[in-house]
Short mmCIF file of all heavy atoms in Angstrom, two decimals:
data_model
loop_
_atom_site.label_atom_id
_atom_site.label_comp_id
_atom_site.label_asym_id
_atom_site.label_seq_id
_atom_site.Cartn_x
_atom_site.Cartn_y
_atom_site.Cartn_z
N THR A 38 53.27 61.60 7.49
CA THR A 38 52.62 60.38 7.02
C THR A 38 51.38 60.74 6.22
O THR A 38 50.78 61.81 6.44
CB THR A 38 52.24 59.45 8.19
OG1 THR A 38 51.72 58.22 7.67
CG2 THR A 38 51.19 60.10 9.07
N ILE A 39 51.00 59.87 5.30
CA ILE A 39 49.86 60.11 4.42
C ILE A 39 48.77 59.07 4.72
O ILE A 39 49.04 57.86 4.73
CB ILE A 39 50.27 60.03 2.94
CG1 ILE A 39 51.31 61.11 2.61
CG2 ILE A 39 49.04 60.18 2.03
CD1 ILE A 39 51.84 61.04 1.21
N ILE A 40 47.57 59.53 4.97
CA ILE A 40 46.39 58.67 5.18
C ILE A 40 45.58 58.69 3.89
O ILE A 40 45.17 59.77 3.43
CB ILE A 40 45.55 59.13 6.37
CG1 ILE A 40 46.41 59.22 7.63
CG2 ILE A 40 44.36 58.20 6.56
CD1 ILE A 40 47.00 57.91 8.06
N GLU A 41 45.38 57.51 3.26
CA GLU A 41 44.65 57.44 2.00
C GLU A 41 43.15 57.63 2.21
O GLU A 41 42.63 57.46 3.31
CB GLU A 41 44.91 56.09 1.31
CG GLU A 41 46.32 55.86 0.86
CD GLU A 41 47.22 55.39 1.98
OE1 GLU A 41 46.68 55.21 3.10
OE2 GLU A 41 48.43 55.19 1.76
N LYS A 44 40.31 55.50 4.39
CA LYS A 44 40.96 54.95 5.57
C LYS A 44 41.05 56.04 6.63
O LYS A 44 40.83 57.23 6.37
CB LYS A 44 42.36 54.44 5.23
CG LYS A 44 42.39 53.30 4.22
CD LYS A 44 43.79 52.83 3.97
CE LYS A 44 43.82 51.70 2.96
NZ LYS A 44 45.21 51.23 2.68
N GLU A 45 41.38 55.64 7.82
CA GLU A 45 41.66 56.58 8.89
C GLU A 45 42.80 56.03 9.75
O GLU A 45 43.02 54.80 9.79
CB GLU A 45 40.43 56.86 9.75
CG GLU A 45 40.01 55.74 10.65
CD GLU A 45 38.84 56.12 11.55
OE1 GLU A 45 38.26 57.20 11.33
OE2 GLU A 45 38.52 55.33 12.45
N GLY A 46 43.53 56.94 10.42
CA GLY A 46 44.65 56.52 11.25
C GLY A 46 44.48 56.98 12.69
O GLY A 46 43.78 57.96 12.99
N TRP A 47 45.11 56.25 13.59
CA TRP A 47 45.11 56.59 15.01
C TRP A 47 46.58 56.67 15.46
O TRP A 47 47.31 55.70 15.36
CB TRP A 47 44.33 55.56 15.82
CG TRP A 47 42.85 55.65 15.57
CD1 TRP A 47 42.15 55.01 14.64
CD2 TRP A 47 41.94 56.46 16.30
NE1 TRP A 47 40.83 55.35 14.69
CE2 TRP A 47 40.67 56.26 15.73
CE3 TRP A 47 42.05 57.37 17.36
CZ2 TRP A 47 39.52 56.91 16.18
CZ3 TRP A 47 40.91 58.00 17.83
CH2 TRP A 47 39.66 57.78 17.23
N ARG A 48 46.95 57.86 15.93
CA ARG A 48 48.33 58.14 16.32
C ARG A 48 48.44 58.15 17.84
O ARG A 48 47.64 58.80 18.53
CB ARG A 48 48.77 59.48 15.74
CG ARG A 48 50.23 59.84 15.98
CD ARG A 48 50.52 61.18 15.38
NE ARG A 48 49.73 62.24 16.02
CZ ARG A 48 49.59 63.46 15.55
NH1 ARG A 48 50.17 63.77 14.38
NH2 ARG A 48 48.86 64.37 16.16
N LEU A 49 49.43 57.41 18.34
CA LEU A 49 49.70 57.34 19.77
C LEU A 49 51.02 58.06 20.06
O LEU A 49 51.99 57.95 19.30
CB LEU A 49 49.80 55.89 20.23
CG LEU A 49 48.56 55.01 20.02
CD1 LEU A 49 48.84 53.58 20.45
CD2 LEU A 49 47.36 55.57 20.76
N PRO A 55 45.48 58.49 22.11
CA PRO A 55 45.20 58.29 20.68
C PRO A 55 44.56 59.51 20.05
O PRO A 55 43.70 60.17 20.65
CB PRO A 55 44.26 57.09 20.67
CG PRO A 55 43.62 57.08 22.01
CD PRO A 55 44.63 57.63 22.98
N VAL A 56 45.02 59.81 18.87
CA VAL A 56 44.51 60.94 18.08
C VAL A 56 44.10 60.42 16.71
O VAL A 56 44.85 59.69 16.07
CB VAL A 56 45.56 62.05 17.94
CG1 VAL A 56 45.03 63.17 17.06
CG2 VAL A 56 45.97 62.59 19.30
N ARG A 57 42.90 60.80 16.28
CA ARG A 57 42.37 60.35 14.98
C ARG A 57 42.96 61.20 13.88
O ARG A 57 42.92 62.44 13.93
CB ARG A 57 40.85 60.44 14.97
CG ARG A 57 40.21 59.97 13.68
CD ARG A 57 38.69 59.97 13.81
NE ARG A 57 38.04 59.57 12.58
CZ ARG A 57 37.68 60.41 11.62
NH1 ARG A 57 37.92 61.73 11.76
NH2 ARG A 57 37.11 59.98 10.52
N LEU A 58 43.48 60.53 12.85
CA LEU A 58 44.06 61.20 11.70
C LEU A 58 43.14 61.01 10.50
O LEU A 58 42.76 59.89 10.16
CB LEU A 58 45.46 60.62 11.39
CG LEU A 58 46.49 60.70 12.52
CD1 LEU A 58 47.82 60.12 12.05
CD2 LEU A 58 46.68 62.14 13.01
N THR A 59 42.79 62.09 9.84
CA THR A 59 41.92 62.06 8.67
C THR A 59 42.77 61.89 7.42
O THR A 59 43.99 62.08 7.44
CB THR A 59 41.12 63.36 8.59
OG1 THR A 59 42.03 64.47 8.52
CG2 THR A 59 40.22 63.51 9.80
N PRO A 60 42.12 61.55 6.25
CA PRO A 60 42.90 61.39 5.02
C PRO A 60 43.64 62.66 4.64
O PRO A 60 43.13 63.78 4.76
CB PRO A 60 41.82 61.03 3.99
CG PRO A 60 40.74 60.41 4.78
CD PRO A 60 40.73 61.14 6.10
N GLY A 61 44.90 62.49 4.22
CA GLY A 61 45.75 63.62 3.83
C GLY A 61 47.10 63.54 4.54
O GLY A 61 47.53 62.49 5.00
N LEU A 62 47.81 64.69 4.66
CA LEU A 62 49.11 64.77 5.30
C LEU A 62 48.94 64.97 6.80
O LEU A 62 48.14 65.81 7.25
CB LEU A 62 49.93 65.93 4.73
CG LEU A 62 50.34 65.81 3.25
CD1 LEU A 62 51.05 67.07 2.79
CD2 LEU A 62 51.23 64.59 3.04
N ASN A 63 49.70 64.20 7.60
CA ASN A 63 49.63 64.30 9.05
C ASN A 63 51.04 64.17 9.61
O ASN A 63 51.93 63.51 9.03
CB ASN A 63 48.76 63.19 9.63
CG ASN A 63 47.30 63.34 9.22
OD1 ASN A 63 46.53 64.07 9.81
ND2 ASN A 63 46.93 62.63 8.13
N LEU A 64 51.25 64.79 10.76
CA LEU A 64 52.55 64.78 11.42
C LEU A 64 52.76 63.45 12.12
O LEU A 64 51.87 62.96 12.82
CB LEU A 64 52.62 65.93 12.44
CG LEU A 64 53.95 66.06 13.22
CD1 LEU A 64 55.08 66.38 12.26
CD2 LEU A 64 53.81 67.15 14.30
N ASN A 65 53.95 62.88 11.94
CA ASN A 65 54.27 61.59 12.56
C ASN A 65 55.77 61.60 12.90
O ASN A 65 56.62 61.36 12.05
CB ASN A 65 53.95 60.45 11.59
CG ASN A 65 54.19 59.10 12.23
OD1 ASN A 65 54.21 58.98 13.46
ND2 ASN A 65 54.41 58.09 11.40
N HIS A 70 55.98 59.02 18.04
CA HIS A 70 54.63 58.65 17.59
C HIS A 70 54.62 57.22 17.05
O HIS A 70 55.61 56.78 16.44
CB HIS A 70 54.14 59.60 16.49
CG HIS A 70 53.80 60.95 16.98
ND1 HIS A 70 53.82 62.07 16.17
CD2 HIS A 70 53.44 61.40 18.21
CE1 HIS A 70 53.48 63.13 16.87
NE2 HIS A 70 53.25 62.74 18.12
N SER A 71 53.50 56.52 17.25
CA SER A 71 53.22 55.22 16.62
C SER A 71 51.86 55.31 15.93
O SER A 71 50.94 55.94 16.47
CB SER A 71 53.25 54.08 17.64
OG SER A 71 52.27 54.30 18.64
N LEU A 72 51.71 54.68 14.77
CA LEU A 72 50.53 54.88 13.92
C LEU A 72 49.87 53.54 13.60
O LEU A 72 50.54 52.54 13.34
CB LEU A 72 50.93 55.58 12.62
CG LEU A 72 49.81 55.91 11.63
CD1 LEU A 72 48.86 56.92 12.23
CD2 LEU A 72 50.41 56.44 10.33
N GLN A 73 48.51 53.53 13.60
CA GLN A 73 47.70 52.39 13.15
C GLN A 73 46.70 52.90 12.12
O GLN A 73 46.01 53.90 12.36
CB GLN A 73 46.95 51.74 14.31
CG GLN A 73 47.84 51.06 15.33
CD GLN A 73 47.04 50.30 16.37
OE1 GLN A 73 45.90 49.91 16.13
NE2 GLN A 73 47.63 50.09 17.54
N LYS A 74 46.62 52.19 11.01
CA LYS A 74 45.69 52.56 9.93
C LYS A 74 44.54 51.54 9.88
O LYS A 74 44.77 50.33 10.02
CB LYS A 74 46.39 52.61 8.58
CG LYS A 74 47.39 53.75 8.45
CD LYS A 74 47.98 53.78 7.05
CE LYS A 74 48.97 54.92 6.91
NZ LYS A 74 49.56 54.99 5.54
N ILE A 75 43.33 52.05 9.63
CA ILE A 75 42.13 51.22 9.55
C ILE A 75 41.44 51.51 8.22
O ILE A 75 41.25 52.69 7.86
CB ILE A 75 41.16 51.51 10.72
CG1 ILE A 75 41.83 51.15 12.04
CG2 ILE A 75 39.87 50.72 10.55
CD1 ILE A 75 42.16 49.67 12.18
N LEU A 77 38.21 51.75 6.18
CA LEU A 77 36.78 51.95 6.44
C LEU A 77 35.88 51.46 5.31
O LEU A 77 34.66 51.52 5.43
CB LEU A 77 36.50 53.45 6.70
CG LEU A 77 37.26 54.08 7.87
CD1 LEU A 77 36.89 55.55 7.98
CD2 LEU A 77 36.97 53.35 9.16
#
Side-chain angles (χ1 to χ4, degrees):
T38 185
I39 298 176
I40 305 298
E41 294 82 2
K44 298 181 180 180
E45 72 176 9
W47 289 90
R48 185 181 63 193
L49 300 177
V56 177
R57 181 175 178 270
L58 302 181
T59 59
L62 294 176
N63 294 276
L64 180 64
N65 183 22
H70 289 155
S71 60
L72 182 64
Q73 294 186 24
K74 291 183 179 181
I75 297 296
L77 301 180

